[in-house]
Amino acid sequence: MRKLIQHGSSTALSACETVPGHDSAIGHVTGRAAYVDDLPGPADMHHLAVGLSPHASARIRHMDLSEVRCQPGVIDVITAAEIPGHNEVGAVYPGDPLLAENEVRYAGQMVFAVVADTLYHARCAVAHACIDYQVMTPALDPVASIKAGLTVLPEHMHERPLPAPALDRGAAMSEDTQTSGNVDRALQEAPHVLTGEQCIGGQEHFYLEGQIAQAERLDDDGLRVLTSSQHPSEVQKLVAEVLGIPLHGIVAEVRRMGGGFGGKESQAAALGAMAALAAHRNGCAIRFRLPRADDMQATGKRHPFYNQYRVGFDETGRLIGADITLIGNCGHSPDLSEGVVDRAMFHADNAYYLGHARVTGHRAMTHTASNTAFRGFGGPQGMMPIEGAMDDIARTLGLDPLDVRKRNLYDLERCETHYGQQIDQPLIGDLIETLEASSNYRVRRDEMAAFNADSPVIRKGLALTPVKFGISFTARHLNQAGALLMIYTDGSVLINHGGTEMGQGLHTKVCQVVARELGIAYHRVRISATRTDKVPNTSPTAASSGADLNAMAARKAAITLRERLVDFASEWQALPREQLTLTGDGLTTGTGHIEWSELIQQAYLARVPLSATGFYATPEIHYDRQTGRGRPFYYYAWGAAVSEVHVDTLTGEYRVARVDILHDVGDSLNPAIDRGQIEGGFIQGMGWLTTEELKWDDQGHLLTTGPATYKIPACGDAPRDFRVALLEGHPNSQATIYRSKAVGEPPLMLAISVWSALRDAIASLADDRSSPRLDTPATPERVLMACHAARAGNVHDGGATREEMPDVMSEK
Amino acid sequence: MLTLTLNGQRHCLNDLPAATTALSLLRGHLGACGTKEGCASGDCGACTIAVGTRNDRGELHYHSANACILPAHQLHGCHLLTVEGLARREALHPVQQALVEHHGSQCGFCTPGIVMSLFCLDDERRRQGVNGPPDDDTIDAVLGGNLCRCTGYRAIREAARAMHTLPRPAMDDPGELSPVSGAPASGFYRPESRSALVEILTQHPRARLIAGGTDLMLEHTLALKPLPELIDLSGVAELGHIDEQNEGWWIGAGVTYHQLAPLLADHYPAFHALLERLGSQQIRHCATLAGNLANASPIGDTPPILMALGARLRLNSTRGMRELPIDEFFTGYRCTALTKGEYLDAVYLPRLRDGEQLLAWKVSKRRDDDISAVMLALRAVTDQNGRLNDVRIACGGMAATSQRARHVEAALEGRVFDGDVLADACKAIAEDFSPIDDVRASREYRLAAIAGLLARARLRLTSRHNAIPMTLEEI
């Protein structure tokens, strides 16, 4: 650089002091924020569409695609035989071929691809395939699959107290759940024992921007892949494997996603690999966007679960023991199901000390799309049994469910989880006391009882439920992040890190952290796209860890540069280091202030390197799968919600009338963004538990393939009275970024209060003395049927009962 | 040729296929990619645009529409305003500014559609001189067709309430909108009179009729049918009117739900309440009552009400006009009494007589923008002795078409609607209907929900305890 830019006028630091909103907000509202499908394509760009399997389980006898090749605009047709490298895009374990080979394992599986001049032509051509399938009977019931030994991965168990000798891996993986007498004896001797079962539905991510990738050939035989992915490093790796070329030949790039929610953690890779393969073969750019119906059929969803619980408790409702069985419906392949069912097991206690506990997790195989990550990652499904049990216990004993919950919360004495982690900051007791008062719970409970007593049609329900959510990837090696920080000679700062922006405001938070470490105005810091050639080997933006990991890595890079600049300034100004600080958008010395861009230009001229990397790995965490014990989580985030629902007992329709939330984010990095995560997570969780119903026919075809039949919450479904507060004054006890806590996933589970409130309203039809079974999603249909059962006094039919339940495991 | 003005700039386009959507015109032909595709079926609202037309005084009115299912040719002579067209250089429109200030966007993909829905609300309130923030019902109605998966809506609602407080610069007038004369669009026919329509129908026997197109266009966007020939009803002058008669109203086949709403609010409150849950605002701006009948969907929301009212239909063709009671219109699953070359011209709504009540309820999984699992509509007169007379009941979602519940009617006719009569009526449901399990509801739920709605009808027709809420709306 021969000539430097003139210094701009000194910038007020006010922009740094006020909390910024989303860094793309203006782009969003003006339409200037571009997503992959909005980018002007290269002149040679073609489009890709895929042929999906019409059968859930079948052998491919013969494939005749000659008619497809003859259709208007078609330039290429691709099958598994054309893949030069590995035909495999499984994230952790094999089992997810890019294109089906010999057999199909779910209806909607990608079988072949068509490249054409327009997306319309490619889509039309797909219909002309002639494929001869030998159709087989699909496995569609996860409980039946477990009985038949159809799993994607072995069973796993947590048990406390541990039997004396540590289990070897083989024993822990065995299907014998009777290895310890303690839990069973505790349940036998408890004054009260309840059992229950529940079917928990899955959930379609319904990111508004469907899955998409675009691949362009570079002049050195490499490929650039623009992807809407939460995990660009995995896209890079899988593209390289499918093509059989080294990783350094592939650049994966994500500017932003139009929503992810876990649905673009592993599921986006197939699109990137497919587009790259087509681009590689045809020497042109390829855009591959899945139309909504294809997207909903081809990609995995939140795992449906079948749960059983048996709890023993005393006269006050305090738990003595719990035996919880979780069966996750994983779909046809492992994908991320190891972690998902693990996390469900880790959250089977939610915020409660279970006493003697056994938690068993099963991973059932069915011939459906491979279920995958979804905000909460099994945690929500895992919490449902114990929350159901809390309500059941209260109705058995004639207590307010809130009192039962409060008696069972973790506190400073009872603070060890069923997998052996010590909880060092059990905020939940105080948090609930505060929320109980601020939401006026007791008064409203009394008013509601009076209302219900006189109301033949409309019944009200109220529930307060807590959340404890463990933060860290349970796969230890994923808890790492890198960043690359560059300062240019005008003082502007560019930061790249491994995290991706899907709307959660990660880039905003990272910019805030960098600005704070360098003492400069927020607007000086910018984040460009996430690219695998800027920061390598990154982890998915998932497990709520985006800011915890990446902001910490960015902070380390900023500290490196800050120290370097102070070293330089000390020499330049001939002042001791201790007198120099970077603050107020520049260098403050004992005697004066040097503006930031002046400092940077002098540093440049003095040949100080103005870029640095940062790296962070979460300390402390470990988990031993063989013993089922350890500290898988660096810390826990807490929260609680009170929901009030109104139920029409003639039709089962209902409204969520009011919601009060108090949620723990430690010292918030950005209260506006955190509040947005809490509200959005809650409504998404509410949708999962209420109207979002996935339906398949008896041959395994998904019937809900678009928003006409799959109903996520609309504006009118959100409570009109929605009071959300952040818990103040409790910085994270662990040394996270500025003592903040992760916020992406935990609030989703606050919505369990809606489900619990619906059960409360229905139970009022049976004088609150018995608990109605209410599987989820609790659609108006399920609510009406539960109302009928409650009115008929038939609530023991499959709901919580005092009798011993048949154990699905023992019936083989 | 198609002439339209996009964000103040005139465009003349040739050779666009008849079924080209406004969204593919914007994103594919005009490079305006701010408007997003979320579903291509008019259900998510990410593609919402504002369609501006001039009224008699030359003032521009904007209404929201789903670009993904709006035929581009229907924008002939319109001013199309999209998310790119609101800001003036760096000055955001108040709708945009309010969304930024209230953190109303997260991933941002639904945001352009939300901006345009709120813009149309703001524009309408400005024209009507309404001050102050819109209420919750208005906001929910306007945003019912704009799905957001990230925010949970609270921040968006606050932006909607705050937008009126921000300074609102005048929008630039787009100037002349009237179409440039040129060769007619191939395959997209725009008759302007009933006689021209009949003639075109005869000349193009394979052409499909389109009014709002909110159902038909899905055959193109989802099922990939080319729809090479479309005859547009929206420009036929005679079909755009509501003709008031002594005993009722003739609703022309081109009248949109939005245009119909004031009449329903004044004369059929139960119908109006249902209309607010029919589709979304964007859909109601385009869709028509006649379209809901002519597509003969088994789950159409309006046919049960029209059957309960005893509506009549006017069909027209070169053979002349004929009238038909609505009960005779549906002949089977997706089949109607329309013959070749014939079209549905108008729907006659009979005025409710003194003492006559119309009740109508829809049950759906989601309150807004959902298709009903079941519908029940009931019209009856209660005499001085509390007996029900002239009972007409129809249900949707219970059979292959919307259908009268004649056994239920018989159970009620001439009787006081007490508990025993309710029990008889509920028993009669199974004689009238044998519903099926499908994606929206099970057979059991359909039967149970209709029984629940009959119980509600009894409470509504006989209850003296008005203080006790009988519906969620009454709390």
Side-chain angles (χ1 to χ4, degrees), chain A residues 249-445:
Chain A
I250 311 292
V251 181
E253 178 176 333
V254 180
R255 173 58 191 94
R256 62 170 60 79
M257 279 165 272
F261 317 115
K264 295 172 181 171
E265 182 175 349
S266 67
Q267 304 293 293
L271 281 91
M274 202 62 245
L277 173 59
H280 191 70
R281 278 170 60 81
N282 294 288
C284 62
I286 297 286
R287 184 174 289 175
F288 178 20
R289 171 167 72 84
L290 281 178
R292 183 63 64 180
D294 287 5
D295 192 318
M296 291 182 73
Q297 292 171 81
T299 65
K301 302 159 203 323
R302 183 188 294 285
H303 291 58
F305 267 67
Y306 170 79
N307 297 331
Q308 281 189 340
Y309 52 95
R310 189 158 84 243
V311 292
F313 51 98
D314 66 17
E315 297 298 337
T316 69
R318 187 178 270 217
L319 287 170
I320 292 166
D323 185 4
I324 297 171
T325 301
L326 308 170
I327 298 177
N329 180 349
C330 302
H332 77 96
S333 76
D335 184 66
L336 304 174
S337 296
E338 178 170 73
V340 168
V341 176
D342 274 357
R343 188 168 278 271
M345 295 169 65
F346 288 132
H347 289 81
D349 56 344
N350 193 10
Y352 311 110
Y353 183 79
L354 299 180
H356 300 270
R358 175 165 56 220
V359 177
T360 312
H362 301 272
R363 294 165 175 86
M365 192 287 288
T366 59
H367 289 107
T368 55
S370 192
N371 289 316
T372 191
F374 196 142
R375 201 177 197 171
F377 205 72
Q381 299 97 311
M383 286 179 190
M384 290 292 286
I386 199 64
E387 288 303 333
M390 289 292 144
D391 290 332
D392 300 345
I393 292 169
R395 291 192 191 104
T396 299
L397 299 176
L399 299 171
D400 187 315
L402 176 57
D403 291 321
V404 174
R405 287 190 164 87
K406 285 165 75 170
R407 274 167 210 164
N408 286 294
L409 295 173
Y410 282 114
D411 56 28
L412 288 169
E413 278 82 50
R414 301 188 306 164
C415 58
E416 192 195 274
T417 64
H418 56 287
Y419 47 90
Q421 175 157 357
Q422 301 295 319
I423 296 170
D424 75 329
Q425 201 181 15
L427 297 173
I428 192 64
D430 290 347
L431 188 151
I432 285 182
E433 293 289 342
T434 309
L435 181 65
E436 180 184 336
S438 67
S439 67
N440 210 16
Y441 178 90
R442 300 287 173 182
V443 172
R444 287 164 67 200
R445 168 62 72 195

Side-chain angles (χ1 to χ4, degrees), chain A residues 615-659:
Chain A
F615 182 80
Y616 175 74
T618 312
E620 315 267 353
I621 50 180
H622 58 90
Y623 175 64
D624 182 347
R625 272 191 79 79
Q626 292 183 26
T627 59
R629 294 179 74 77
R631 177 182 178 178
F633 303 117
Y634 189 32
Y635 63 90
Y636 295 98
W638 305 92
V642 182
S643 290
E644 175 179 335
V645 300
H646 301 163
V647 175
D648 179 340
T649 62
L650 293 177
T651 59
E653 295 166 291
Y654 49 81
R655 295 262 183 94
V656 179
R658 174 176 164 183
V659 174

Side-chain angles (χ1 to χ4, degrees), chain A residues 202-224:
Chain A
Q203 187 177 24
E204 159 63 34
H205 302 84
F206 213 86
Y207 24 66
L208 265 285
E209 178 209 31
Q211 301 272 3
I212 186 166
Q214 179 174 321
E216 299 163 13
R217 275 169 67 100
L218 303 174
D219 60 358
D220 56 359
D221 290 338
L223 278 162
R224 175 177 180 237

